[in-house]
Amino acid sequence: VGGGDQPPAPPLEALDLRKTEARERLLAGELAVARDLYAEILRADPRSRGARVALAFCALKAGDGDGATRWLDDAARDAPLDPELYYFRGLAAAARGDAADARRQHERALFLDADFVPAHFQLGELAASEGRRPDALRHFRNAAGAMRRAPGAVISLEGIYREHEVASLCARNAEALAPGGEEART
């Protein structure tokens, strides 16, 4: 009958509670606890793309870009067209100092979902750091517009910001980059 050395999967309700707890721990910045919870979820549900992406995020935050890439590659086998995977690949590239690859990965995420807020935000940050104000402004405005078009959408920007925080960051960055903004006055 197989699977003799695997413990039985917990009931779906228990797994859903674990997922909720893991996400809350991740949002609270309790990465070690979140990592352990997501590993437990993955043992119970080996096909959980969300758990693999969250484990990639935890690896990134721990400075393990190679580990993050392995988790993302594993998740991509089941969902190769998921924009979130390219977004996180972009974060991994940025963490290793490869801005060109980070930009490519975030652009791939936007190719798959033109309203993917985290990729717009990261491309805005990259463009601003490179002195490309018009591109940065466009990405921050696109992110803000996407949030207005889909209010209440879950924004996973590195797993640490809530939607209202991302909206505030986009507005502040766009204002600073716009002609006559803070940056122009300094």
Side-chain angles (χ1 to χ4, degrees), residues 114-146:
D115 281 343
F116 193 70
V117 172
H120 275 299
F121 187 85
Q122 290 300 322
L123 284 168
E125 291 280 306
L126 280 168
S129 73
E130 295 168 348
R132 296 182 295 113
R133 289 175 60 138
D135 289 339
L137 183 59
R138 176 175 46 88
H139 283 295
F140 290 130
R141 286 180 174 164
N142 284 344

Side-chain angles (χ1 to χ4, degrees), residues 85-104:
L85 297 176
Y86 291 99
Y87 163 70
F88 278 107
R89 285 176 193 235
L91 293 180
R96 63 176 188 272
D98 189 344
D101 189 36
R103 188 172 28 265
R104 274 191 301 278

Side-chain angles (χ1 to χ4, degrees), residues 56 59-72 92 95-96:
L60 263 176
K61 285 300 193 183
D64 181 8
D66 291 337
T69 299
R70 283 192 298 276
W71 282 116
L72 294 170
R96 63 176 188 272

